[in-house]
């Protein structure tokens, strides 16, 4: 009797696990993220954005210089 | 402290660039990871709409105050808004290719509306270049800009909601709930919208200062 119950439990648990495997969730970039290298991409994006902002700031400084020159004249 | 909004803009955008790729997003078929485009593609359009609103306010001020300064500001705001619409269109096109399966579909009223709106604003720029007299140019283009803004809102805000649209939140049910955004997504989406609007305002301010210098040199 115990053997029967035990085998039933094992069977059910096996079914449960296989059922979990078959219900596929939508594909996400899990592997990509688990490797941890997504940080590299983020760093690249952030550096590009910071560089653009730095460029914008230098443009703004040039504009400021021109404004000062014009106000002098 | 007149630089505060620029600092906030940069911090908010940087935050969305980093956290937008790291945070958990709803797992949805077809969309998959591209749901993260909501953090980058949509705020660009919000910034565009904001700049066009600034532009129309400046145009109305041009008509009421009769000042050329406001006309230059209206033009600069429209230019920055136009500048935002180009990455908005291309990013939307790429996103559409991988989710709707096509670069462009004429079935979607929002895409057609955006295309028409961009042409309307192109006509605004052409109109400006074709009038030589400064005061005349200011008044004519201000009147046209009010018309352009109304038409843009009809084409991209109203018409897509009256018919069916592939865009979420359109097609008879305008609601943010339909974006399939959970609270963790909102934590990135709203800062992104604010960040890009402030960034657009920064570009607008630099453009204004340059046109002010140009005017001084011409005088």
């Amino acid at each position: 009797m115990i053997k029967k119950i035990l085998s039933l439990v094992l069977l059910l648990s096996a079914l449960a696990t296989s059922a979990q495997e078959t219900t596929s969730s939508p594909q996400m970039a899990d592997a990509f993220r688990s490797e941890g290298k997504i940080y590299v991409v983020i760093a690249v994006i952030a550096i590009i954005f910071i560089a653009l902002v730095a460029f914008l700031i230098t443009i703004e400084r040039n504009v400021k210089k021109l404004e000062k020159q014009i106000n002098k004249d | 402290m007149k630089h505060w909004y620029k600092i906030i803009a940069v911090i908010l955008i940087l935050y969305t660039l980093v956290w937008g790729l790291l945070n958990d997003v709803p797992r949805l078929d077809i969309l998959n990871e591209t749901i993260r485009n909501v953090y980058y593609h949509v705020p660009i359009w919000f910034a565009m709409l904001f700049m066009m609103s600034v532009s129309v306010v400046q145009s109305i001020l041009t008509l009421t105050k009769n000042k050329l300064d406001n006309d230059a500001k209206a033009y600069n705001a429209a230019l920055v808004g136009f500048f935002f619409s180009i990455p908005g269109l291309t990013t939307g096109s790429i996103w559409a290719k991988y989710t709707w399966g096509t670069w462009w579909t004429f079935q979607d009223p929002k895409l057609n509306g955006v295309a028409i709106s961009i042409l309307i604003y192109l006509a605004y720029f052409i109109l400006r270049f074709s009038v030589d007299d400064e005061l005349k140019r200011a008044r004519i283009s201000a009147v046209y800009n009010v018309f352009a803004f109304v038409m843009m809102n009809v084409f991209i805000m109203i018409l897509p909601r009256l018919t069916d649209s592939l865009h979420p939140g359109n097609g008879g049910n305008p609601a943010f709930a339909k974006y399939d955004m959970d609270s963790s997504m909102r934590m990135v989406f709203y800062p992104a919208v604010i960040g890009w609007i402030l960034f657009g305002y920064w570009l607008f301010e630099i453009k204004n200062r340059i046109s002010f210098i140009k005017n001084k040199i011409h005088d």
Side-chain angles (χ1 to χ4, degrees), chain B:
Chain B
M1 190 69 180
K2 57 181 180 177
H3 295 302
W4 60 271
Y5 75 90
K6 300 165 192 172
I7 296 162
I8 293 171
V10 171
I11 288 169
L12 286 180
I13 292 170
L14 266 180
Y15 157 72
T16 55
L17 289 178
V18 173
W19 193 238
L21 289 175
L22 286 177
N23 81 332
D24 277 325
V25 290
R27 287 167 177 264
L28 300 169
D29 270 320
I30 301 168
L31 266 179
N32 307 80
E33 293 280 2
T34 68
I35 196 169
R36 290 177 202 276
N37 276 352
V38 167
Y39 305 144
Y40 312 110
H41 164 78
V42 186
I44 288 282
W45 283 114
F46 274 60
M48 182 264 200
L49 285 175
F50 176 79
M51 291 324 296
M52 292 318 186
S53 311
V54 170
S55 178
V56 79
V57 167
Q58 293 298 334
S59 278
I60 290 165
L61 285 176
T62 310
L63 291 173
T64 53
K65 287 186 176 175
N66 236 339
K67 269 188 181 172
L68 284 174
D69 287 7
N70 295 116
D71 179 57
K73 281 180 185 172
Y75 170 68
N76 289 337
L79 210 63
V80 175
F82 185 75
F83 165 82
F84 274 126
S85 76
I86 292 160
L89 261 189
T90 41
T91 55
S93 190
I94 292 166
W95 198 4
K97 177 65 187 163
Y98 289 97
T99 49
W100 302 341
T102 173
W103 297 105
W104 187 276
T105 169
F106 289 101
Q107 303 296 313
D108 190 79
K110 202 139 188 158
L111 297 190
N112 297 329
V114 155
I116 294 165
S117 305
I118 285 172
L119 290 179
I120 288 172
Y121 276 99
L122 267 179
Y124 169 71
F125 299 133
I126 292 165
L127 180 72
R128 292 187 62 89
F129 289 128
S130 56
V131 183
D132 281 332
D133 183 61
E134 277 186 329
L135 277 169
K136 214 182 222 176
R137 183 205 298 148
R139 293 191 69 82
I140 291 173
S141 56
V143 171
Y144 180 82
N145 196 22
V146 174
F147 163 78
F149 184 73
V150 173
M151 289 313 280
M152 181 191 71
N153 275 292
V154 169
F155 278 121
I156 74 177
M157 305 301 279
I158 299 166
L159 286 182
R161 294 201 164 110
L162 291 178
T163 55
D164 204 17
S165 174
L166 287 164
H167 275 88
N170 292 281
N173 192 356
F176 268 89
K178 280 201 79 184
Y179 268 111
D180 294 313
M181 271 203 281
D182 56 12
S183 56
S184 84
M185 279 191 80
R186 281 167 215 272
M187 286 294 288
V188 182
F189 176 71
Y190 292 129
V193 169
I194 298 164
W196 283 107
I197 282 175
L198 291 176
F199 193 78
Y201 198 83
W202 185 6
L203 296 177
F204 168 62
E205 204 213 57
I206 291 177
K207 283 291 294 174
N208 282 344
R209 288 162 73 179
I210 290 170
S211 49
F212 186 76
I213 293 167
K214 268 187 190 166
N215 273 340
K216 278 257 176 165
I217 290 169
H218 275 292
D219 290 343

Side-chain angles (χ1 to χ4, degrees), chain A residues 4-23:
Chain A
K4 266 187 184 172
I5 290 168
L6 209 70
S7 59
L8 197 72
V9 167
L10 273 173
L11 189 74
L12 278 174
S13 63
L15 270 173
T17 47
S18 70
Q20 269 175 1
E21 275 162 17
T22 48
T23 52

Side-chain angles (χ1 to χ4, degrees), chain A:
Chain A
M1 187 64 189
I2 293 168
K3 267 188 182 174
K4 266 187 184 172
I5 290 168
L6 209 70
S7 59
L8 197 72
V9 167
L10 273 173
L11 189 74
L12 278 174
S13 63
L15 270 173
T17 47
S18 70
Q20 269 175 1
E21 275 162 17
T22 48
T23 52
S24 58
S25 68
Q27 274 200 325
M28 300 301 255
D30 292 326
F32 184 48
R33 215 157 259 101
S34 70
E35 284 164 17
K37 292 189 178 159
I38 188 78
Y39 303 104
V40 182
V41 182
I42 292 169
V44 168
I45 293 170
I47 286 167
I48 289 171
F49 181 69
I50 291 167
L52 281 173
V53 168
F55 184 49
L56 196 60
I57 290 168
T58 56
I59 290 172
E60 200 174 24
R61 284 206 177 142
N62 285 340
V63 170
K64 206 173 189 175
K65 268 184 198 166
L66 284 172
E67 277 173 345
K68 273 183 185 166
Q69 268 186 3
I70 277 178
N71 286 335
K72 263 186 201 170
D73 298 337

